[in-house]
Amino acid sequence: MSQLKQYLKKAVSVPPDAPVREAAERMRSEGVGYVVVQAEDGHPVGIVTDRDLTLRVVAAGREAGITPVSAVMSRLTAVAAPTELLEDVVERMAKYGVRRVPVVDENEVLGILGLDDLLITLAAELHDIGEATRREVRDARRAAQIEQIRRELEDTFHEIEGAFHGVVEELEDVRTQAKDRITREVEAVRDRIRRLLD
Amino acid sequence: MPVGDWCHRRVVTAEADISVREVARTMEREGVGTVIVTESDNPVGILTDRDIALHVLIERLDAEAVQARDLMQSPFITIPEETSLGRAARILRMHAARRLPVVDERGRPVGVIGSEDLVGVLSQELAALAKVVERQRPSPGSEAEAKQTIERSE
């Protein structure tokens, strides 16, 4: 339920008889791209965007100081309640072909759900989720690769160890043989000397 | 995925010396909110529907007398066509821009990218990635697919 609220933008309102210049001034000072046209009793009757002002005032050659916003606004066809689900409201936007829906409680405008703002927020969120997922998959693959390398290293180590043992054994043999031979040689020399002395 | 593959490869231009009323009519006729302002075919600035509305109405300008060059943003922020979509989304958000021109390596505008274009692409990407996550621990076969998905989305 609070889902809808987190995507709301503040509503900047003007009365229906305000001149379009006032709407433009509010858009600039509030840093928004549209204003809600609100009747005296508070209920919203229309929306005027910066684009509407360009096309319906500048392109059409209307006088900005005397044209009321009610003359160039788009009449509201859809509103939303704060308790509605985001997907239901977006569906209504698609049905009525509107990009902005005032969220109204009783007669009070709580804020505006704008498709453009929503898209920017969702695009950023989707991208962040995508990044996190990619990182997860990458990490999983990296962990698998590390395990593979570890196993290969272990095998290599065992091979080297085996080979080393072989070499050590061979060295032992050589040493024993050499020792035996030297012993025999020494014995032989000793015999010859003993014989010469006799 | 470079942004150049996904943007609208259509650029609406306006000569720097035409009146902003004429630019506003061009925007209406062409159904665009951003035009590239050119001087002897060189892009020198951009002009949005918002720029026109606010300047003309608030400053009480004569829309017939004021020229595109008087209201254009110059220099203007551009997105190189090789930029990744994720980065393009961040640039749009950072500058609170709804649309920005995409330029080739020589800085010439080749299209316009808007947040609505990005959402479509990013949700496709997300759907592809969701499939990967569903598999949790990739077996050797699905790992190859996972790799493909990652490469596609990069």
Side-chain angles (χ1 to χ4, degrees):
Chain A
M1 312 297 136
S2 61
Q3 251 185 333
L4 191 60
K5 256 188 182 154
Q6 87 188 60
Y7 295 108
L8 288 192
K9 293 279 180 229
K10 66 173 174 190
V12 178
S13 305
V14 295
D17 56 357
V20 288
R21 177 169 297 137
E22 191 181 316
E25 282 163 354
R26 296 296 302 281
M27 286 178 193
R28 179 181 277 175
S29 63
E30 305 279 346
V32 294
Y34 49 86
V35 293
V36 180
V37 183
Q38 238 171 327
E40 247 175 71
D41 65 356
H43 84 273
V45 292
I47 283 184
V48 179
T49 68
D50 46 13
R51 183 171 176 83
D52 293 335
L53 296 181
T54 298
L55 303 192
R56 298 173 191 168
V57 179
V58 180
R62 282 193 168 108
E63 177 53 55
I66 54 169
T67 307
V69 288
S70 58
V72 298
M73 71 181 187
S74 300
R75 294 205 156 273
L76 273 190
T77 47
V79 292
T83 48
E84 285 187 276
L85 290 175
L86 181 64
E87 49 264 45
D88 294 338
V89 180
V90 170
E91 207 169 286
R92 193 167 321 136
M93 286 171 145
K95 188 179 157 198
Y96 288 98
V98 294
R99 298 173 80 91
R100 295 158 201 92
V101 172
V103 177
V104 180
D105 195 12
E106 304 281 316
N107 240 351
E108 191 195 354
V109 180
L110 300 178
I112 305 287
L113 187 71
L115 204 55
D116 294 293
D117 304 323
L118 194 62
L119 289 182
I120 291 175
T121 311
L122 288 181
E125 277 178 16
L126 288 183
H127 183 255
D128 290 347
I129 294 170
E131 276 291 290
T133 313
R134 264 200 297 274
R135 208 160 35 232
E136 238 168 66
V137 173
R138 221 179 279 143
D139 286 351
R141 281 171 57 210
R142 199 170 295 147
Q145 279 169 351
I146 289 171
E147 176 58 22
Q148 174 70 16
I149 291 169
R150 197 191 62 78
R151 254 185 264 132
E152 280 171 18
L153 275 179
E154 213 169 56
D155 290 350
T156 310
F157 178 73
H158 284 312
E159 266 173 46
I160 291 172
E161 203 178 37
F164 183 73
H165 275 305
V167 171
V168 170
E169 273 165 29
E170 265 175 45
L171 276 177
E172 279 293 322
D173 287 351
V174 169
R175 213 178 72 177
T176 314
Q177 279 170 16
K179 201 173 135 197
D180 290 352
R181 201 170 152 189
I182 290 166
T183 311
R184 276 202 306 277
E185 296 280 335
V186 171
E187 285 294 322
V189 171
R190 199 187 288 152
D191 282 349
R192 275 167 67 191
I193 293 171
R194 207 174 284 148
R195 247 178 276 135
L196 281 173
L197 291 178
D198 282 343
Chain B
M1 278 184 291
V3 78
D5 292 355
W6 288 93
C7 66
H8 292 284
R9 292 189 82 85
R10 175 166 166 264
V11 176
V12 176
T13 61
E15 276 295 311
D17 60 358
I18 70 165
S19 75
V20 292
R21 174 158 298 150
E22 200 43 58
V23 178
R25 287 181 178 148
T26 304
M27 286 174 170
E28 185 165 29
R29 196 175 53 241
E30 303 286 339
V32 296
T34 304
V35 298
I36 310 281
V37 182
T38 56
E39 232 162 57
S40 31
D41 274 352
N42 290 316
V44 291
I46 62 167
L47 191 54
T48 68
D49 44 13
R50 180 175 175 84
D51 296 334
I52 293 178
L54 300 195
H55 283 290
V56 171
L57 268 63
I58 297 170
E59 290 148 33
R60 300 164 193 243
L61 304 176
D62 178 354
E64 289 289 354
V66 174
Q67 299 177 348
R69 66 155 62 85
D70 301 326
L71 299 187
M72 70 185 184
Q73 304 170 31
S74 179
F76 53 102
I77 297 152
T78 58
I79 302 183
E81 58 181 339
E82 291 311 314
T83 308
S84 75
L85 283 173
R87 188 152 167 66
R90 232 171 292 142
I91 295 171
L92 284 169
R93 196 165 32 145
M94 196 162 57
H95 297 285
R98 268 178 278 175
R99 286 169 234 103
L100 284 176
V102 176
V103 295
D104 65 14
E105 71 278 6
R106 288 158 62 214
R108 306 193 72 85
V110 293
V112 173
I113 189 88
S115 46
E116 57 265 45
D117 307 315
L118 293 172
V119 173
V121 182
L122 287 169
S123 41
Q124 279 173 25
E125 179 191 20
L126 189 71
L129 284 163
K131 276 185 200 150
V132 177
V133 177
E134 273 165 27
R135 293 192 189 109
Q136 286 269 310
R137 273 183 173 253
S139 64
S142 64
E143 193 180 319
E145 282 175 50
K147 191 163 169 255
Q148 276 182 357
T149 308
I150 287 174
E151 279 163 2
R152 261 207 314 275
S153 63
E154 271 170 356

